[in-house]
C-alpha cells in the first residue's frame, strides 16, 4: 500500500497592492498533503490548507489551494493559494524557479502575483526563513498510509446505463446553528444517452428562509478523486465551487476514519440491492467559507459528514436521518420502500446504525431491515412534519422521533435514470429525539437519551 506525504511550511515577505506605494508585510502558514510519496525526480500534486495574512487587509485561517512540486522534472514548485478578505476572493499564484547552480536561493524565494476576483491586485515576494524555519519544516514531514475514507470517494460508475451516483455533505455550524447541504450527483440515463453531472447547494439559517441554488447539468467527465464538474469539486479533504449567488470553499477533516456501512457491506460492493449508502467517515469537521448574496458563513471545525449513494435510482418512499450526538457518537437511519415489483407493497425497510463509544449497533445492518426470519425488524412511520423509527436488537431498543418544521424544510425534485421523478423534503436544521434503552433484570432502563434542536439532518422523499 503506497504512502502519502504531508508537511508544513511557513513563508514570509511582502506584497505591493495595486495603487499603493509601499509594500505590506505578508505571511503564509501552510499545511501540505499529497496522496503519493513525494520524490524529487517526479511531479507531485498536493492539496494545501492554511492561513494567509496581509497587514491591514487579510487574515484568513481557511485558505486552500494546490501545490505542484516538480524540482527536477519541471524545475519549479508552483503555489496557487486562495483566500478571502474584505468580502473578496483572492488568489496567490507564483512559483519557485529551481536553478541547480543556486539551489538554496531558488528553492526558498517565491515571487508571485496576487489576484482579486480574477483581476491582478498586486505583486510580491515571499521567502522561506531558513534560519528559524528549516528545523520545523524538516521535522513536520510525515508519510501516512492512505485514508480509508478517501478511497470511498472514488467514482464507482463503470459506464453502465441506468445508474446514479451521489456525493452529499451535510454540516451544522455550531456558532450560528446554520445548516448546509451540498449535493453532487452523476446520472447515467437508462436509455444509454450521455451521462451528466448536476447538484445543488442549500443553506438553512435558524432565523430566515431556506435558500438554495442548483448547478449543472453538464456532461460527466471522470475524475479519479471524486466529483468534479464545471469547477465544482467534492474530493478528499476539500469541497469547492460556485452556483448562482453561492460560492464555497471548505476543507474536510475526518474525525472517525472507520467507514459506516448503513446498508450491508456486500450491497455496497456487489450492487445486489437497488441502491446502497455508506458514510466513508461518519464524523468529519469542516472549515472554510460559504458566501452568498448578502452574507457569508464562516465555518471553523463545524461537525458534519459526507455520504455516498450508488444504485439505480431513488426509492418509492424514504426517510433519512444523520445525527451527530456529540462525544463521538453518531446515528444514521435510512428507511425506504423499493420501487421494484413485489417489494413496493412491503412496509419500509429500516437500516439503522448507531455508533456509540466506538462500537456500532446493531451488529449487522440486516437486523433492523429483516429481523430474524422476518420477525423483530425495525419499524418506520414516515410522514411530515414528524416521522419515527422504533426497534430492538441485542438487548437494546431505540425510539427515534424526527421533526422537520415546514419553514426549515426545502422541497427539491429528483430525476431517476429512467426519467421518473421523485420529490425530497430536506431539512439540515431538523429536530430529533432519540431514546436508547437496555434490558436489565426483566425491564427496560434508559441507557442514553439525546435531544437535538435544529442540528439534525433529515429528509423525507415521495413520488
Amino acid at each position: 500500500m503506497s504512502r502519502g506525504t504531508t508537511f508544513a511550511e511557513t513563508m514570509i515577505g511582502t506584497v505591493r497592492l495595486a495603487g499603493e506605494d509601499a509594500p505590506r508585510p505578508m505571511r503564509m502558514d501552510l499545511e501540505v498533503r499529497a496522496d503519493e510519496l513525494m520524490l524529487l525526480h517526479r511531479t507531485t500534486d498536493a492539496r494545501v490548507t492554511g492561513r494567509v495574512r496581509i497587514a491591514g487587509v487579510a487574515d484568513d485561517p481557511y485558505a486552500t489551494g494546490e501545490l505542484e512540486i516538480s524540482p527536477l522534472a519541471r524545475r519549479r514548485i508552483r503555489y496557487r493559494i486562495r483566500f478571502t478578505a474584505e468580502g473578496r476572493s483572492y488568489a496567490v499564484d507564483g512559483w519557485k524557479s529551481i536553478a541547480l547552480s543556486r539551489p538554496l536561493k531558488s528553492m526558498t524565494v517565491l515571487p508571485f502575483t496576487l489576484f482579486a476576483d480574477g483581476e491582478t491586485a498586486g505583486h510580491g515576494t515571499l521567502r522561506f526563513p531558513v534560519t528559524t524555519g528549516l528545523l520545523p519544516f524538516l521535522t513536520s514531514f510525515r508519510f501516512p498510509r492512505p485514508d480509508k475514507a478517501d478511497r470511498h470517494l472514488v467514482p464507482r460508475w463503470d459506464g453502465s446505463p441506468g445508474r446514479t451516483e451521489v456525493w452529499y455533505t451535510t454540516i451544522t455550524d455550531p456558532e450560528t446553528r446554520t445548516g448546509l447541504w451540498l449535493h453532487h450527483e452523476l446520472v447515467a440515463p437508462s436509455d444509454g444517452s450521455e451521462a451528466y453531472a448536476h447538484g445543488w447547494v442549500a443553506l438553512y439559517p435558524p432565523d430566515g428562509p431556506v435558500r438554495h441554488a442548483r448547478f449543472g447539468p453538464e456532461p460527466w467527465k471522470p475524475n479519479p478523486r471524486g466529483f468534479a464538474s464545471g469547477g465544482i469539486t467534492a474530493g478528499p479533504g476539500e469541497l469547492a465551487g460556485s452556483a448562482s449567488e453561492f460560492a464555497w470553499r471548505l476543507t474536510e477533516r475526518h474525525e472517525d476514519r472507520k467507514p459506516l456501512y448503513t446498508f450491508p457491506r456486500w450491497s455496497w460492493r456487489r450492487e445486489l440491492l437497488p441502491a446502497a449508502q455508506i458514510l466513508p467517515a461518519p464524523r468529519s469537521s469542516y472549515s472554510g467559507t460559504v458566501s452568498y448574496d448578502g452574507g457569508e458563513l464562516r465555518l471553523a471545525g463545524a461537525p458534519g459528514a459526507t455520504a455516498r449513494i450508488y444504485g439505480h435510482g431513488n426509492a418509492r418512499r424514504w426517510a433519512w436521518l444523520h445525527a451527530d450526538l456529540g462525544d463521538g457518537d453518531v446515528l444514521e437511519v435510512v428507511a425506504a420502500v423499493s420501487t421494484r415489483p413485489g417489494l413496493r407493497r412491503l412496509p419500509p425497510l429500516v437500516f439503522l446504525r448507531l455508533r456509540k463509544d466506538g462500537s456500532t449497533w446493531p451488529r449487522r445492518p440486516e437486523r433492523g431491515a429483516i429481523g430474524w426470519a422476518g420477525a423483530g425488524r425495525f419499524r418506520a412511520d414516515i410522514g411530515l412534519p414528524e416521522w419515527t423509527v422504533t426497534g430492538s436488537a441485542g438487548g437494546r431498543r431505540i425510539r427515534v422521533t424526527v421533526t422537520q418544521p415546514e419553514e426549515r424544510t426545502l422541497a427539491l425534485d429528483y430525476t431517476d435514470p429512467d426519467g421518473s421523478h421523485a420529490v425530497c423534503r430536506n431539512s439540515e436544521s431538523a429536530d430529533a429525539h432519540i431514546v436508547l434503552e437496555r434490558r436489565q433484570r426483566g425491564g427496560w432502563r434508559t441507557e442514553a437519551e439525546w435531544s437535538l434542536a435544529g442540528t439534525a439532518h433529515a429528509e423525507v422523499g415521495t413520488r
Side-chain angles (χ1 to χ4, degrees):
M1 183 182 296
S2 62
R3 291 179 177 268
T5 305
T6 65
F7 62 90
E9 181 182 28
T10 295
M11 302 201 71
I12 301 171
T14 60
V15 59
R16 187 187 300 272
L17 301 180
E20 295 188 355
D21 297 328
R24 293 175 179 262
M26 180 174 175
R27 177 183 176 120
M28 293 199 308
D29 296 287
L30 306 177
E31 294 184 4
V32 182
R33 174 178 290 274
D35 294 329
E36 59 185 348
L37 196 63
M38 188 183 73
L39 299 174
L40 296 181
H41 67 279
R42 69 184 185 190
T43 300
T44 302
D45 294 319
R47 306 184 300 277
V48 179
T49 59
R51 183 177 185 179
V52 176
R53 285 173 279 188
I54 300 175
V57 174
D59 186 356
D60 187 351
Y62 311 122
T64 62
E66 300 83 35
L67 200 60
E68 178 194 273
I69 307 169
S70 187
L72 297 180
R74 297 179 180 174
R75 300 286 181 89
R76 72 179 188 184
I77 303 175
R78 184 168 186 176
Y79 294 71
R80 282 173 283 202
I81 313 297
R82 299 174 294 275
F83 63 98
T84 302
E86 300 177 335
R88 304 182 69 186
S89 297
Y90 285 83
V92 170
D93 193 341
W95 58 86
K96 301 172 182 176
S97 298
I98 308 304
L100 300 181
S101 59
R102 44 188 182 86
L104 183 61
K105 181 178 180 180
S106 63
M107 293 189 70
T108 58
V109 177
L110 173 65
F112 67 90
T113 300
L114 182 66
F115 295 92
D117 297 327
E119 302 292 333
T120 301
H123 299 273
T125 301
L126 296 172
R127 292 176 171 81
F128 176 76
V130 177
T131 304
T132 59
L134 183 58
L135 183 59
F137 172 72
L138 294 176
T139 57
S140 72
F141 271 83
R142 298 291 185 273
F143 305 97
R145 295 187 182 277
D147 192 329
K148 291 182 180 180
D150 289 346
R151 295 206 304 265
H152 290 295
L153 298 177
V154 176
R156 298 194 59 196
W157 184 55
D158 60 3
S160 302
R163 299 292 190 278
T164 184
E165 183 165 6
V166 179
W167 297 252
Y168 69 88
T169 302
T170 58
I171 306 168
T172 297
D173 176 28
E175 296 297 325
T176 64
R177 302 178 72 82
T178 299
L180 175 65
W181 181 23
L182 292 168
H183 181 99
H184 314 79
E185 183 170 353
L186 154 70
V187 178
S190 300
D191 61 8
S193 56
E194 186 177 26
Y196 61 89
H198 74 118
W200 50 80
V201 53
L203 204 63
Y204 298 74
D207 55 357
V210 180
R211 54 203 307 167
H212 78 285
R214 291 182 180 264
F215 52 85
E218 293 197 3
W220 172 254
K221 295 180 181 179
N223 182 287
R225 300 182 65 243
F227 180 95
S229 177
I232 294 172
T233 59
E238 61 183 355
L239 302 105
S242 62
S244 185
E245 64 174 291
F246 287 90
W248 61 95
R249 183 165 48 87
L250 303 173
T251 60
E252 179 183 63
R253 178 186 177 89
H254 297 149
E255 305 296 342
D256 182 349
R257 299 174 183 269
K258 182 181 179 182
L260 184 64
Y261 291 87
T262 315
F263 288 59
R265 186 175 306 193
W266 50 261
S267 70
W268 178 257
R269 294 178 174 176
R270 297 185 177 88
E271 297 184 50
L272 297 179
L273 295 180
Q277 186 239 33
I278 180 179
L279 281 78
R283 291 189 307 107
S284 296
S285 59
Y286 298 83
S287 299
T289 58
V290 180
S291 60
Y292 52 93
D293 186 18
E296 181 181 69
L297 175 67
R298 297 178 71 88
L299 303 176
T306 291
R308 298 276 279 111
I309 299 173
Y310 187 69
H312 297 265
N314 294 286
R316 181 178 180 84
R317 188 161 56 100
W318 72 89
W320 161 81
L321 170 70
H322 175 79
D324 189 313
L325 307 175
D327 298 323
D329 301 337
V330 65
L331 174 66
E332 192 80 8
V333 179
V334 175
V337 177
S338 174
T339 59
R340 291 185 176 179
L343 297 178
R344 66 181 61 174
R345 296 183 181 277
L346 296 176
L349 297 180
V350 177
F351 296 92
L352 181 148
R353 312 295 281 149
L354 172 65
R355 183 160 292 175
K356 181 177 181 293
D357 301 328
S359 299
T360 304
W361 174 84
R363 190 171 62 86
R364 297 187 62 87
E366 299 93 330
R367 180 64 180 85
I370 62 176
W372 296 111
R377 67 185 176 201
F378 287 24
R379 300 184 181 277
D381 183 6
I382 300 176
L384 283 174
E386 183 178 285
W387 56 274
T388 61
V389 167
T390 57
S392 61
R396 282 171 160 173
R397 72 180 183 185
I398 194 169
R399 179 175 180 85
V400 181
T401 304
V402 179
T403 305
Q404 298 182 214
E406 183 177 359
E407 67 276 11
R408 288 187 260 144
T409 298
L410 172 67
L412 287 174
D413 295 331
Y414 284 84
T415 301
D416 283 338
D418 64 2
S420 62
H421 297 279
V423 177
C424 80
R425 291 171 174 82
N426 177 285
S427 177
E428 300 304 320
S429 55
D431 304 327
H433 185 70
I434 301 126
V435 179
L436 179 68
E437 295 178 304
R438 183 181 290 273
R439 185 186 294 276
Q440 292 181 348
R441 296 180 181 178
W444 292 97
R445 298 179 183 271
T446 300
E447 177 182 342
E449 186 171 359
W450 300 273
S451 291
L452 283 67
T455 61
H457 307 158
E459 178 176 290
V460 169
T462 58
R463 291 185 182 270

